């Protein structure tokens, strides 16, 4: 429900409300300012309300350009997460929504850029019309003033100038075109599809942010949009003198005879973005420094379906369950860093990742490791630990597809804690649901489950973990094989004791069974998987929780990996 979302995500909701509020305030304030301020009386005579649209969107563009880099300073966020370790976990966890906020700000930039550009196209058209007008109207008279000096109002000084000419030869025009193109390329190349399948394209295109910020800082320097100078306002105030401008004769004597003079609005984008740029430079220096620290690859294992397992050690590296690292292999590409979820448990004396072939970089990495052991650089770990799993007597863990990866760390860690009779572990029973199209790419996870199963059986704790594998994509050959071996003790698909179920889980039945087995427990439900699955699990949690406080309760936790 919305209420429970707000309780758990009050920090995210507050950040969102503040961000929206500041955007609305900036836009409204500056729109009204440029729409009413007397210094822009003559500017409005030529441009109309398009002036206010352009200036208000410019302020919001500056504000959002200031914010866009902050959520991607991952070391800075880790530092914040560390310093607020005394704060509640919900607050620390919400720092993991950094990329969601980054995307939100990016969409705002795209929308505001459209508003700003369209407004300026209107402005250029109106400047052009005023320059060419010969009807003696106020815009026409204003456009002819001070063409020789620097006190002009209309930046278009000749009748031959076209809108295209201004767009490609002036500093604001050219930088505007360049940063808009950079933004379009960055937004279009960061869709889910491209990130998943052509990560390199996304990665390199995203470095156009350097072009974006350079262009942004230069963009306003020429000051093409102008207002009346303070001195000129004192001498010939528009409210008194505007009416005389269109009907002056040669031998004018009264106080409004002098032409109004105009000056540019100072460039200020740099003031907004300077601090975040400095922070980001620090962030990149820190990344380079951390990457220099030596990583020893202690074990390389190839699993079926081209999955590479790397076990590594690094001085001072300490991880928690559910965290991830960034990996770079300089011999493949010195610039590319890729995120991988850690599959080892904190109790182990190494940290590990499993890399499946998905894209050029991973393909090349797997090929390289089959020939030699190249140098590897690691940055991390990042992300908030998924320690909530240990707080429930009964835990239902649901991993879908690639979302099964973090559960490798969680299941191993729970088992270590359970063996060592760790006081922080409240868990007495785990139900693990694994949904995938085919087990091929996850044979390594299968092996992990099999070894856990064996260890538990050996120590007489076989019932500590119940798991079910749901194969959601299967064909007739599998089905026939299963029919032949139905009475075998081990499963034909996975070789595990627990049978594979074909099709999707009937969540109502699963929840009802858990509720019946643990009538008085508090059950934590954890998902790492798609949004649609999150909705149906949330619904099941709600339906199967008893209203009686002494009876079973289901709490839903969605992990963002």
């Amino acid at each position: 429900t919305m209420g429970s979302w707000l309780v758990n995500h009050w920090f995210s909701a507050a950040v969102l409300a503040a961000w929206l509020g500041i955007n609305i305030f900036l836009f409204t304030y500056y729109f009204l300012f440029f729409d009413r301020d007397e210094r822009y009386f003559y500017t409005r005579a030529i441009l109309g309300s398009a002036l206010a649209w352009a200036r208000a969107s410019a302020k919001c563009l500056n504000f959002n350009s200031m914010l866009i880099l902050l959520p991607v300073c991952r070391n800075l966020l880790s530092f914040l997460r560390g310093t607020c370790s005394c704060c509640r976990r919900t607050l620390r966890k919400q720092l993991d929504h950094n990329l969601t906020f980054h995307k939100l700000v990016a969409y705002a930039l795209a929308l505001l850029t459209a508003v700003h550009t369209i407004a300026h196209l209107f402005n250029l058209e109106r400047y052009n019309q005023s320059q060419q007008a010969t009807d003696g109207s106020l815009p026409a008279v204003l456009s002819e003033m001070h063409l020789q000096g620097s006190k002009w109002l209309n930046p278009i000084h000749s009748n031959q100038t076209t809108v295209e000419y201004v767009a490609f030869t002036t500093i604001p025009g050219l930088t505007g075109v360049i940063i808009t193109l950079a933004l379009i390329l960055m937004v279009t190349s960061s869709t889910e599809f491209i990130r998943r399948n052509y990560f390199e394209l996304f990665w390199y295109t995203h470095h156009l942010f350097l072009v974006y910020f350079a262009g942004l800082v230069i963009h306003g320097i020429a000051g093409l949009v102008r207002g009346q100078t303070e001195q000129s306002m004192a001498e010939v105030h528009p409210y008194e003198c505007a009416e005389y401008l269109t009907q002056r004769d040669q031998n004018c004597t009264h106080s409004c005879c002098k032409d109004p003079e105009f000056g540019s609005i100072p460039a200020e984008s740099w003031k907004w973005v300077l601090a975040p740029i400095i922070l980001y430079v620090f962030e990149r220096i820190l990344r380079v420094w951390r990457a220099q620290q030596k990583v020893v690859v202690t074990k390389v294992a190839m699993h079926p379906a081209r999955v590479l397992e790397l076990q590594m050690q690094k001085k001072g590296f300490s991880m928690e369950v559910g965290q991830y690292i960034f990996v770079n292999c300089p011999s493949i590409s010195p610039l590319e860093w890729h995120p991988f979820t850690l599959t080892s448990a904190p109790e182990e004396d190494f940290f590990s990742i499993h890399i499946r072939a998905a894209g050029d970089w991973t393909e090349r990495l797997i090929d390289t490791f089959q020939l030699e052991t190249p140098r590897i650089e690691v940055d991390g770990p990042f992300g908030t630990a998924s320690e909530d799993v240990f707080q429930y007597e009964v835990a239902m863990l649901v991993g879908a597809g690639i979302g099964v990866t973090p559960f490798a760390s969680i299941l191993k860690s729970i088992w270590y804690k359970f063996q060592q009779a760790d006081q922080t572990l409240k868990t007495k029973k785990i139900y693990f649901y694994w949904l995938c199209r085919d087990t091929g790419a996850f044979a390594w996870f299968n092996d992990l489950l099999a070894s856990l199963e064996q260890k538990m059986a050996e120590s007489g704790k076989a019932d500590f973990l119940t798991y079910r594998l749901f194969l959601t994509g299967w064909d007739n050959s599998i089905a026939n094989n299963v029919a032949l071996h139905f009475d075998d003790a081990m499963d034909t698909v996975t070789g595990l004791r627990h049978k594979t179920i074909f099709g999707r889980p009937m969540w109502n039945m699963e929840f009802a069974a858990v509720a019946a087995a643990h009538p008085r427990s508090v059950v934590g439900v954890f998902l790492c998987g798609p949004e649609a699955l999150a909705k149906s699990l949330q619904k099941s949690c709600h339906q199967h929780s008893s209203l009686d406080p002494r009876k079973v309760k289901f709490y839903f936790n969605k992990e963002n990996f």
Side-chain angles (χ1 to χ4, degrees), residues 298-460:
T298 53
K299 184 183 171 190
V300 179
M302 273 308 292
H303 295 281
R306 275 177 74 72
V307 173
L308 172 74
E309 178 185 356
L310 296 181
Q311 292 185 5
M312 296 165 277
Q313 287 174 331
K314 179 180 175 178
K315 199 175 165 206
F317 187 95
S318 106
M319 65 156 292
E320 297 181 56
V321 290
Q323 290 191 307
Y324 61 94
I325 55 171
F326 278 86
V327 176
N328 168 280
C329 179
S331 63
I332 294 176
S333 162
L335 292 175
E336 276 180 58
W337 288 83
H338 291 252
F340 293 98
T341 305
L342 289 162
T343 51
S344 49
E347 290 82 359
E348 292 170 312
D349 62 352
F350 60 87
F351 61 96
S352 68
I353 52 173
H354 285 74
I355 301 167
R356 66 187 179 118
D360 302 346
W361 188 87
T362 46
E363 290 277 5
R364 291 212 299 278
L365 186 77
I366 291 167
D367 291 341
T368 308
F369 266 100
Q370 283 176 324
L371 300 169
E372 53 162 351
T373 302
R375 190 164 76 86
I376 287 285
E377 295 177 353
V378 166
D379 190 16
F382 299 106
T384 305
S386 321
E387 288 153 338
D388 283 5
V389 183
F390 310 134
Q391 305 302 318
Y392 294 92
E393 282 175 37
V394 180
M396 289 173 77
L397 312 179
V398 184
I402 190 74
V404 76
T405 319
F407 290 116
S409 175
I410 291 168
L411 288 171
K412 280 201 279 189
S413 188
I414 288 178
W415 176 241
Y416 283 123
K417 284 181 169 31
F418 188 73
Q419 271 185 314
Q420 292 156 11
D422 189 321
Q423 295 308 304
T424 59
L425 181 73
K426 299 196 174 76
T427 320
K428 303 277 185 287
K429 175 75 186 173
I430 294 171
Y431 292 90
F432 180 60
Y433 303 87
W434 178 15
L435 289 65
C436 69
R437 281 208 186 85
D438 69 285
T439 52
F442 299 107
W444 64 271
F445 191 78
N446 237 1
D447 300 343
L448 171 80
L449 277 178
S451 78
L452 273 179
E453 190 174 53
Q454 194 184 343
K455 283 176 191 161
M456 287 174 193
E458 282 167 7
S459 55

Side-chain angles (χ1 to χ4, degrees), residues 60-80:
C60 290
L61 278 166
N62 282 335
F63 171 60
N64 286 288
S65 299
M66 172 180 88
L67 296 178
I68 193 88
L69 284 177
L70 298 177
V72 289
C73 292
R74 52 178 189 246
N75 284 296
L76 181 77
L77 288 173
S78 270
F79 175 72
L80 275 179

